[in-house]
Amino acid sequence: MSYLAKNYNRKKISFSRGKGSYLYTTNGTKYLDFVQGIAVNCLGHANSRLIKTIKNQSKKLWHVSNAFEIPEGEKLAKKLCQKTFADYVMFQNSGAEATEASIKVARRYFYSIGKPNKNRILCVKNSFHGRTLAAIYASGSKKMTEGFGPKVPGFDHFVFGNHKSLKKKINKNTAAIMIEPIMGEGGIKVIPDWCLKELRKLCNKKKILLIVDEVQTGVSRSGDFFAFESSKIRPDIVPIAKGIGGGFPIGAVLMNKKVAAGMTPGTHGSTFGGNPLACSIANTVIDIVSSKKFLNNVKRLSKYFLSNLNQLKEKYPEVIKDIRGRGLLIGIQLHQNQAKFIKKLMDHKLLTIRAGENVVRILPPLNVKKNELDQAFKIINKVCSEFK
Ligand SMILES: *Cc1c(COP(=O)(O)O)cnc(C)c1O
């Protein structure tokens, strides 16, 4: 029997090692891993540069309290600020922690300017911002909140794509709008650039903050360092996590100077957040994935893979409804429930994961090789033909 709580519906398979895009089971069966820990292992498994970093740092220093200065964190924060809109960074350990801390930053900002009643966060109905108590109520999903007691107050919701409802829901107590630039769990739904621009304008007009949750889309997953960059907007607060540690848990909140002013000493903290080991790994990840050359390669691979998948959609219109996504955050929307399709892909040794709206989510490592994309494509093609 298993002593693990039953909160996951796990597939009956386990792996003993991984290398790049591949995972190996205990008995040596090889799988092409296009889940990568759900957009976490951005450089694949057992990346040699990350191994070197973790080896070096683990011999020197793992953890010290945030009561002291942490040079590895200073270095990482500087890199993040120099590459993005941000002026300040606050380290966390996970995505949900980063989204919750973002909510705190937004509320605290209005408190600090003498408007404590501006504390409500407007979110997309059935979005995904994590699984802590506040984050599930931010997501506004019935399924995620059921049975978890009194509602955490302070969240309003609008329907994705319904701009009228969005405008109607903003009131004098609204502090911020929080959105995912590409809804990950919700089915790889991309918010178009023009829409992000309008959203920024709306926030300026209403004097409220814009929080862009880049936990899944960030750190080069979209082909840009952040998914919002192609729209040229500047958000106020951006939580990140998944990809930044390349498989090591670390999250962060990026913020501009204006909102950072509210975060005075003692207003937030995290025991593990931003320790030397986590930060040194993230430093190496950022050095690799944020270069122009690396990003151009992600864009090139994405274009190639998406165009192949779109051809597949033409070939099997009765199976595939839509091809979605940007960069290497890709969704194949099916006409029917995707569970059987994912199982079949797995039978053919390709690992993928579900997302909302019957979507098969495909998340290769960002340094995936072209021939590995070809191999995956062949398997997807085969499963489509079996599904016809
Ligand atoms: C995964 C995810 C989170 C939560 O991250 P955890 O590390 O699981 O807490 C929050 N927001 C988005 C957009 C995510 O994809």
Side-chain angles (χ1 to χ4, degrees):
M1 75 158 268
S2 168
Y3 290 92
L4 293 170
K6 304 280 185 252
N7 58 316
Y8 292 109
N9 193 1
R10 296 174 194 273
K11 299 224 165 15
K12 297 239 168 308
I13 187 171
S14 65
F15 305 97
S16 56
R17 68 190 177 89
K19 183 73 197 157
S21 298
Y22 295 98
L23 273 173
Y24 299 84
T25 62
T26 341
N27 62 20
T29 308
K30 187 177 173 183
Y31 284 84
L32 186 53
D33 178 16
F34 278 12
V35 179
Q36 292 292 338
I38 314 192
V40 166
N41 312 320
C42 54
L43 296 170
H45 297 281
N47 177 272
S48 59
R49 283 183 66 185
L50 294 184
I51 290 172
K52 201 171 142 203
T53 299
I54 208 167
K55 259 189 181 164
N56 287 342
Q57 186 60 40
S58 68
K59 284 179 211 158
K60 288 195 287 189
L61 186 64
W62 292 26
H63 181 84
V64 290
S65 163
N66 280 306
F68 307 102
E69 288 185 352
I70 299 175
E72 293 80 6
E74 293 283 353
K75 201 167 136 189
L76 178 58
K78 186 176 175 184
K79 276 181 203 166
L80 286 167
C81 289
Q82 285 179 343
K83 283 182 196 304
T84 69
F85 77 99
D87 300 308
Y88 293 98
V89 178
M90 206 164 67
F91 290 116
Q92 317 290 318
N93 309 287
S94 66
E97 251 187 300
T99 55
E100 278 224 31
S102 298
I103 294 162
K104 285 180 72 178
V105 171
R107 288 182 178 171
R108 180 79 193 177
Y109 162 71
F110 282 107
Y111 171 86
S112 75
I113 61 165
K115 294 180 178 169
N117 290 332
K118 277 184 98 64
N119 53 37
R120 300 191 69 83
I121 314 294
L122 181 52
C123 309
V124 174
K125 182 93 191 143
N126 294 322
S127 53
F128 188 83
H129 299 292
R131 296 289 199 141
T132 57
L133 267 178
I136 57 175
Y137 285 100
S139 304
S141 139
K142 204 170 164 197
K143 205 171 134 207
M144 281 201 286
T145 52
E146 193 179 355
F148 291 112
K151 187 174 172 178
V152 174
F155 298 100
D156 298 304
H157 296 96
F158 68 97
V159 176
F160 181 91
N162 187 337
H163 301 156
K164 241 194 208 148
S165 111
L166 160 64
K167 282 173 194 160
K168 232 172 55 196
K169 291 288 176 72
I170 300 173
N171 61 40
K172 65 180 194 317
N173 296 325
T174 305
I177 297 176
M178 177 160 73
I179 49 116
E180 300 166 76
I182 302 168
M183 285 180 78
E185 305 301 312
I188 320 294
K189 292 205 291 196
V190 182
I191 300 184
D193 286 347
W194 67 266
C195 201
L196 283 178
K197 277 195 190 118
E198 289 301 313
L199 207 54
R200 178 71 269 185
K201 270 194 218 154
L202 184 64
C203 289
N204 291 350
K205 193 174 135 206
K206 301 278 183 188
K207 294 195 167 60
I208 58 178
L209 304 172
L210 179 59
I211 306 174
V212 179
D213 182 346
E214 291 262 6
V215 169
Q216 186 158 167
T217 50
V219 195
S220 306
R221 177 58 56 185
S222 72
D224 292 308
F225 188 71
F226 282 137
F228 68 74
E229 282 175 14
S230 58
S231 74
K232 306 267 192 302
I233 64 155
R234 293 172 75 84
D236 297 289
I237 305 168
V238 171
I240 64 173
K242 291 191 170 88
I244 188 190
F248 197 89
I250 174 170
V253 180
L254 280 62
M255 63 193 102
N256 63 24
K257 205 165 157 180
K258 179 176 97 176
V259 301
M263 300 311 287
T264 50
T267 49
H268 190 62
S270 165
T271 299
F272 294 112
N275 81 14
L277 193 55
C279 287
S280 62
I281 295 163
N283 266 308
T284 304
V285 170
I286 297 282
D287 287 347
I288 300 171
V289 306
S290 68
S291 81
K292 193 107 205 127
K293 199 174 153 209
F294 188 92
L295 285 164
N296 281 338
N297 191 49
V298 172
K299 283 198 178 100
R300 194 176 58 87
L301 292 168
S302 167
K303 205 172 153 193
Y304 173 71
F305 196 51
L306 281 172
S307 112
N308 283 349
L309 288 177
N310 274 306
Q311 282 172 31
L312 209 59
K313 183 185 134 193
E314 303 292 312
K315 194 168 157 196
Y316 300 108
E318 65 287 356
V319 182
I320 299 176
K321 190 173 172 193
D322 194 16
I323 302 295
R324 295 168 164 185
R326 261 177 51 199
L328 291 172
L329 175 56
I330 290 167
I332 303 177
Q333 187 187 34
L334 305 182
H335 285 289
Q336 48 172 292
N337 184 285
Q338 75 282 61
K340 248 170 57 197
F341 197 92
I342 288 172
K343 169 79 173 50
K344 285 218 172 210
L345 293 174
M346 198 168 150
D347 291 342
H348 291 291
K349 309 291 181 282
L350 172 64
L351 303 175
T352 59
I353 194 154
R354 67 170 300 285
E357 302 190 344
N358 297 339
V359 166
V360 179
R361 194 168 15 161
I362 302 180
L363 300 158
L366 302 182
N367 58 356
V368 67
K369 295 191 178 74
K370 192 161 167 269
N371 70 304
E372 292 163 350
L373 291 176
D374 290 338
Q375 192 192 345
F377 180 76
K378 253 170 116 173
I379 295 169
I380 298 165
N381 187 18
K382 188 145 196 258
V383 170
C384 280
S385 74
E386 290 169 7
F387 248 72
K388 253 178 77 173

